[in-house]
Every structure is written in C-alpha cells, then in structure tokens.
C-alpha cells in the first residue's frame, strides 16, 4: 500500500525505481552531504539507496518509511524524508530529511518534518519522535525548533564524516506536545 502524506504544496510518496536520478541530483553534491556519513554519491550509490528504500517498504513489520519529497504542482522530486521506528515497545521513532539545495530556504524541510511527525503520532501511534543534526547545521536546527522539537542535549562524536567525528544535537517531541 502506497503511503502518501501531503500539504498544500508538497507530497511525500513511496520511492519508485526511476527516482534514483532525482535522488542523485542532490545526493551527489558536497554541500548536501557535508554533515552526513555518506556521499557525495556515485550514480550506483544513488541507485542502491533507492532500491534499499523500496525493499525496506515491503518488510513486515515495516520499520522504515522512506518517502520521495515532490512538488504537488508537477511531481518534481526535490528531496527525501524518512521516519524510522526504533522501538515498537517504547513507541519511538526518528525522522530525517534532505532537500535539494535549489529548494533550500523555502520551508520545504519544515513541511517534510511536520508531515513525518504528524504521521508518526497519528498514523503509527508513536509516543516520542526524535531527530539529530550536526551542531554546525544551523538550517536543520532551525527546522527542528520550528516544528516544536525541544533540544535534549548534544551527544559527542556519534557519526564519522569526511572531516572526522561529528557531534549530534538531539531534539524530540512527545505525542502530548504535538499540535
């Protein structure tokens, strides 16, 4: 069953095999993966990513919800968003998002985060949803604060990236806090 989340300007839909080129258009760029443990992607890596997302969507029980972020006006792929269930017992999930730089500063990441959080609470029954970001990634920090997540703290040297170990700021929101 294809999950679909949307607001007035974007839609989050299941990935299709043909989406690898759209993914590659942002995942191959250094500024996009600067704070990530992956990338810049080769074409083959972008193809494998899309295949993994499609495969994980078929898993039962499903724990990874990866969505292509598209513009509603023309189905143009402009990024990706994920919600990953980390504990069914503790009703905890993590969100993440990535947007093509041509669409930075337009509120799309904020829209994606809101749709994912809403789906996590209302659609999947989660109690706590969290996200992490590199302390230098001020854009992502602004998104997380804007959607109502609270900073819980900073974890030291959690992810190995191209310039060494990076810290991760931890943000979360609880179901009863979500509006």
């Amino acid at each position: 069953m294809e999950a679909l989340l949307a607001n007035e300007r974007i839609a989050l839909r299941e990935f299709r095999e043909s989406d690898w080129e759209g993914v590659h258009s942002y995942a191959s760029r250094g500024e996009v993966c600067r704070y990530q443990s992956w990338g810049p992607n080769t074409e083959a890596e972008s193809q494998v990513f899309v295949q993994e997302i499609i495969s994980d969507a078929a898993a039962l029980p499903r724990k990874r919800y990866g969505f292509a972020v598209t513009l509603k006006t023309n189905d143009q792929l402009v990024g990706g968003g994920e919600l990953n269930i980390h504990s069914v017992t503790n009703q905890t999930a993590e969100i993440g998002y990535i947007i093509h730089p041509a669409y930075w500063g337009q509120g799309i990441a904020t829209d994606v985060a809101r749709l994912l959080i809403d789906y996590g609470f209302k659609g999947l029954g989660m109690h706590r949803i969290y996200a992490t970001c590199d302390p230098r990634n001020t854009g992502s920090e602004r998104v997380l604060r804007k959607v109502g997540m609270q900073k819980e703290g900073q974890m030291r040297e959690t992810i190995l990236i191209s310039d060494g170990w990076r810290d991760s700021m931890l943000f979360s929101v609880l179901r009863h806090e979500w509006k």
Side-chain angles (χ1 to χ4, degrees):
M1 180 171 139
E2 182 169 311
L4 179 65
L5 311 172
N7 67 12
E8 58 283 344
R9 65 184 183 146
I10 64 165
L12 278 62
R13 63 162 170 77
E14 300 285 359
F15 274 97
R16 304 172 187 142
E17 284 186 34
S18 60
D19 286 331
W20 78 265
E21 290 181 81
V23 168
H24 191 66
S25 73
Y26 61 80
S28 62
R29 301 170 67 111
E31 68 267 35
V32 171
C33 52
R34 172 180 354 179
Y35 304 119
Q36 306 301 326
S37 59
W38 54 267
N41 279 9
T42 63
E43 287 186 356
E45 289 167 331
S46 294
Q47 290 169 345
V48 166
F49 168 78
V50 170
Q51 286 300 321
E52 287 174 353
I53 289 279
I54 291 169
S55 176
D56 289 346
L60 295 174
R62 185 173 182 182
K63 292 191 173 189
R64 184 181 190 190
Y65 294 81
F67 299 105
V69 176
T70 63
L71 300 177
K72 284 181 81 173
T73 55
N74 60 9
D75 198 39
Q76 163 102 23
L77 192 145
V78 297
E82 286 196 40
L83 184 144
N84 292 288
I85 298 174
H86 284 278
S87 174
V88 172
T89 303
N90 295 310
Q91 302 167 1
T92 302
E94 178 180 15
I95 64 161
Y97 44 82
I98 193 151
I99 304 299
H100 191 291
Y103 298 91
W104 286 356
Q106 299 178 30
I108 293 174
T110 302
D111 287 349
V112 172
R114 281 191 180 115
L115 288 167
L116 291 171
I117 292 168
D118 202 59
Y119 182 62
F121 289 138
K122 296 176 182 173
L124 300 174
M126 294 292 107
H127 170 72
R128 178 178 185 270
I129 296 176
Y130 69 93
T132 64
C133 72
D134 187 300
R136 298 168 293 181
N137 191 344
T138 56
S140 190
E141 179 181 359
R142 273 193 306 274
V143 167
L144 299 174
R145 290 183 187 278
K146 190 183 281 188
V147 299
M149 291 186 136
Q150 295 180 30
K151 183 178 178 185
E152 292 186 353
Q154 186 163 315
M155 301 177 291
R156 300 181 309 146
E157 298 186 0
T158 57
I159 297 176
L160 183 59
I161 62 175
S162 61
D163 64 353
W165 287 99
R166 82 154 222 218
D167 288 358
S168 293
M169 291 190 298
L170 177 63
F171 292 82
S172 73
V173 62
L174 305 175
R175 183 176 14 208
H176 69 269
E177 298 168 337
W178 186 245
K179 295 168 182 51

